[in-house]
Amino acid sequence: MSAALTAHVAAIRAADRVSPELAAGLALPLFRRVRPALAVRDHDRAVHEHAERGRLRVRGRQVATYAWGHGPDTVLLVHGWRGRASQFAPIVRELRAEGLRLVAFDAPANGDSRGRHTDIRDYLAAIEALQQRHGRFRLIVGHSFGALAALTAVREGTATDGVAAIAGMADARYLVDSFSGRLGVRSATADALARSFAHRVLPDVRDPYDRFDSVSAPLPAETPLLIAHDRGDREVSASESQRLHAAHGTRSRLLLTEGFGHVRVLGADPVLDAVTAFATGGLAAADAVAPATGGQSYAAPAAASDQGRSRATSSLRLPTPTLP
């Protein structure tokens, strides 16, 4: 942590003891910060450099777009906060080999797209624009914040045969609460920050967090959902995916891995196998590959144990109507 950031956090904590509104005002710029842009990782570079490049105008700004493959069916990839499309390189390699076309974008202020700020409105606008360009998606794969955006887009009408949410959160309020928890501020400051951010993003909506809650308002009944999360994820708790899974009943599958974390889970073999099967054959195909992928097992959530698993193992949970 830089000296400037350390001083900023100290100021927020000091204000928290005096006024939640003052602390929230100091925390808001830090909460919204996106830059510096994530660089392309060496092992993702080949996929990144072989993409068809393009531009898309999103809410008055140009964003970078990418495409791979020439198949008749299109898969949309939606990266997370401070992420970029190239992080999906392992998934691109797998699905392109299956004859699928893949498209993605770098949100404003992320990756190769210019800007200082972004928010979920930019993600939703980019998804809508790419739908208009490519038509119905075979699958939408979202990572982290991108999973929240993907779920929201489909709930609001984006057409797809399925959604794969990797290391995502179940609702937008989690972002505020987890950020506030890391700052070490009181719940009153978290509430003030939630109000301040909501007023900045959707000032005309009384409670915008309802719009971004995929537990109280799940995906359409005909849309299957594949969820993957690492148990040791330090950015987004795996309990968020458990909540999301529980809210979607029999049309959801939850894959839990061990030892991959928040980002490397995108290249984990069990996740790649499950996403590939789901993209090509739906939930039935994902179910069929489960026994062959790194020690996966099927179990109802209440029966699955979090104890005694070694690195790089996983378990796939069957649908459940309630939280484990």
Side-chain angles (χ1 to χ4, degrees), residues 63-296:
V63 302
T65 63
Y66 308 89
W68 300 267
H70 299 90
D73 295 322
T74 301
V75 174
L76 173 64
L77 309 171
V78 187
H79 70 75
W81 194 257
R82 298 182 186 174
R84 62 181 307 141
S86 62
Q87 291 176 291
F88 287 105
I91 291 175
V92 170
R93 286 190 286 264
E94 295 289 328
L95 297 188
R96 183 175 55 184
E98 295 293 332
L100 294 166
R101 179 169 174 79
L102 298 104
V103 297
F105 62 94
D106 287 340
N110 287 261
D112 289 346
S113 295
R114 295 180 179 180
R116 296 181 58 191
H117 297 292
T118 192
D119 60 58
I120 197 167
R121 294 173 298 176
D122 297 324
Y123 281 70
L124 296 177
I127 292 170
E128 181 180 5
L130 287 170
Q131 175 106 101
Q132 292 174 356
R133 179 179 294 182
H134 297 284
R136 183 183 184 89
F137 297 119
R138 177 70 168 267
L139 176 66
I140 302 178
V141 183
H143 174 240
S144 191
F145 183 78
L148 178 67
L151 291 163
T152 302
V154 175
R155 288 167 48 230
E156 295 186 349
T158 297
T160 181
D161 293 343
V163 176
I166 304 175
M169 61 287 302
D171 60 69
R173 180 57 197 252
Y174 174 84
L175 297 166
V176 178
D177 292 337
S178 61
F179 176 80
S180 299
R182 292 181 185 184
L183 284 179
V185 296
R186 296 175 297 164
S187 59
T189 294
D191 291 340
L193 177 60
R195 291 191 299 270
S196 179
F197 182 70
H199 180 72
R200 177 70 64 92
V201 175
L202 293 170
D204 299 325
V205 180
R206 185 170 180 270
D207 187 0
Y209 291 98
D210 285 347
R211 179 183 177 187
F212 309 113
D213 187 341
S214 295
V215 171
S216 62
L219 291 171
E222 68 277 8
T223 306
L225 175 63
L226 175 68
I227 308 167
H229 214 124
D230 193 77
R231 295 178 189 272
D233 190 326
R234 296 182 180 181
E235 299 296 323
V236 179
S237 172
S239 63
E240 285 297 291
S241 282
Q242 292 170 328
R243 293 177 60 223
L244 191 59
H245 172 57
H248 284 81
T250 58
R251 58 206 164 95
S252 171
R253 299 293 185 274
L254 172 61
L255 170 64
L256 293 175
T257 64
E258 189 82 28
F260 295 103
H262 187 65
V263 176
R264 289 195 305 120
V265 70
L266 289 169
D269 284 344
V271 174
L272 294 176
D273 288 343
V275 170
T276 301
F278 186 49
T280 56
L283 288 179
D287 291 346
V289 303
T293 52
Q296 292 181 95

Side-chain angles (χ1 to χ4, degrees), residues 16-42:
D16 177 60
R17 294 192 290 268
V18 178
S19 166
E21 287 72 22
L22 177 60
L26 293 172
L28 183 59
L30 189 58
F31 182 65
R32 298 185 67 213
R33 191 174 72 173
V34 183
R35 292 293 188 181
L38 182 70
V40 177
R41 298 176 299 184
D42 289 342

